[in-house]
Amino acid sequence: MAFAPMGPEASFFAVLDQHRASLLAALRRGGGEPAGGGTPQASSSEVLASIESVIQDIITSVARNEAPAFTIGNRSSWENIKFEDSVGLQMVTHFTTRKIKSDSLKSVKKFALILKILSKIYKLVQSNTYATKRDIYYTDSQLFGNQTVVDNIINDISCMLKVPRMSLHILSTSKGLIAGNLRYIEEDGTRVHCTCGATAVAVPSNIQGIRNLITDAKFLLIVEKDATFQRLLDDNFCNRMSPCIMITGKGVPDLNTRLLVKKLWDTFHIPVFALVDADPHGIEIMCIYKYGSMAMSFEAHNLTVPAIRWLGLLPSDIKRLNIPRDTLIPLTKRDQMKLDSVLKRPYVTCQPFWRKEL
């Protein structure tokens, strides 16, 4: 249960309430968001029809004695990405594509793997069953070679079919954790009651299936690192700042952690803050939650929460808090390259405060 804040906490929660009021006002000015937030999920019949259309194109090519090929949006080019402050990084409407040809030595194996995974997706959707990406990999681990190959192909298929990945009936294994004032029911009926104690709950693997979310939280805190998350739990942060929700993706967030942050924002519209390291990698992780990534730009509407605020640690905090220089870790060449990359991102231009910090 939430307590009636006294002393300094009272002014803290008052500021939170003001911030939430401004967020809601901004949503109303912008015409609000789609019900449930993000892009509507594709129905099973729509997914099956999309796959059948792709297979029909292959059959037509073979009938014409032409080598069939898959045409997939190029997810690794900034030329295909546009930035909108209200959405984040998203793929442009008329994007450049690449062909996965069946008559090319460079791509024939990938063509076959896409066909194989498309077949598995079709069976999953048709039977209304689910599998994890790991399950797909272990159906023929020698053929796939490694898990990354499967992950990339699933994303390519989602992009090619123009279908949200969760509509493909393929789940990701979650690595994130959540704690605080939150209750919900999972798809199988399991009731989950997150607590403010020292033990966190694993982020569900099927975010689409959770329902009856209940919270009186005043804010959601995203924590970059698991060690920091655990330290805050040990220091009784959730109880001391109750009511709140705290979540970590344990570094670069997995898809389910991002989907859950998005679902919590869409459902409750409470302020969301990010606590990350004051280094290029921490800042990039915060940007992934807030504005998304180039690789998943085709699904930005389901993943990004532009309302996220950078709580810290700010580079300027190091000087303000008089942190001894001998306790700091110098930037490596890799860190500097990452910093240069982040500075070139389109979202930095609309954030003068960020540029100053960077």
Side-chain angles (χ1 to χ4, degrees), residues 88-302:
L89 301 174
Q90 54 186 322
M91 190 168 275
V92 297
T93 305
H94 303 290
F95 48 80
T96 59
T97 60
R98 55 196 170 92
K99 286 192 177 292
I100 310 298
K101 300 179 180 180
S102 60
D103 62 346
S104 167
L105 288 176
K106 289 184 177 180
S107 61
V108 63
K109 182 178 179 180
K110 185 166 185 178
F111 179 91
L113 294 181
I114 292 174
L115 205 55
K116 183 179 180 69
I117 294 179
L118 266 177
S119 171
K120 293 189 177 297
I121 290 171
Y122 192 91
K123 291 175 183 176
L124 289 171
V125 176
Q126 194 174 46
S127 61
N128 195 30
T129 54
Y130 291 83
T132 66
K133 294 189 298 181
R134 202 68 176 157
D135 292 334
I136 300 293
Y137 168 69
Y138 278 119
T139 59
D140 201 330
S141 58
Q142 286 190 326
L143 177 63
F144 291 122
N146 60 68
Q147 183 69 55
T148 303
V149 170
V150 174
D151 297 352
N152 287 334
I153 288 176
I154 290 170
N155 287 338
D156 280 340
I157 289 173
S158 177
C159 183
M160 177 176 66
L161 299 179
K162 296 181 174 62
V163 168
R165 217 186 75 178
M166 60 190 82
S167 296
L168 301 179
H169 283 230
I170 295 180
L171 307 175
S172 303
T173 302
S174 299
K175 65 171 183 170
L177 297 171
I178 188 165
N181 302 70
L182 179 67
R183 288 177 288 160
Y184 56 85
I185 300 175
E186 293 189 346
E187 187 182 34
D188 63 0
T190 301
R191 295 179 179 273
V192 178
H193 188 178
C194 302
T195 68
C196 295
T199 304
V201 173
V203 169
S205 59
N206 187 356
I207 303 301
Q208 183 184 357
I210 65 176
R211 62 188 190 276
N212 292 18
L213 287 90
I214 300 172
T215 188
D216 59 349
K218 292 284 188 179
F219 67 96
L220 167 62
L221 179 65
I222 299 169
V223 182
E224 174 196 350
K225 288 187 172 177
D226 182 38
T228 307
F229 180 85
Q230 297 296 338
R231 176 62 185 268
L232 289 172
L233 286 181
D234 293 342
D235 288 346
N236 208 23
F237 175 87
C238 282
N239 272 316
R240 291 165 63 184
M241 302 306 295
S242 179
C244 68
I245 300 171
M246 194 165 66
I247 191 168
T248 180
K250 298 183 179 179
V252 177
D254 59 290
L255 184 69
N256 288 326
T257 303
R258 292 176 63 189
L259 285 169
L260 182 56
V261 170
K262 172 68 172 174
K263 193 176 188 77
L264 291 171
W265 162 251
D266 286 338
T267 305
F268 302 112
H269 290 126
I270 56 175
V272 185
F273 302 100
L275 179 64
V276 300
D277 283 348
D279 63 26
H281 298 278
I283 294 167
E284 183 180 48
I285 286 170
M286 184 263 295
C287 292
I288 289 173
Y289 283 107
K290 184 177 176 73
Y291 289 134
S293 62
M294 181 167 62
M296 295 297 290
S297 58
F298 64 93
E299 207 175 332
H301 286 84
N302 293 319

Side-chain angles (χ1 to χ4, degrees), residues 224 276-283 310 312-318 331:
E224 174 196 350
V276 300
D277 283 348
D279 63 26
H281 298 278
I283 294 167
W310 184 9
L313 183 70
L314 305 176
S316 59
D317 288 339
I318 295 172
L331 291 180

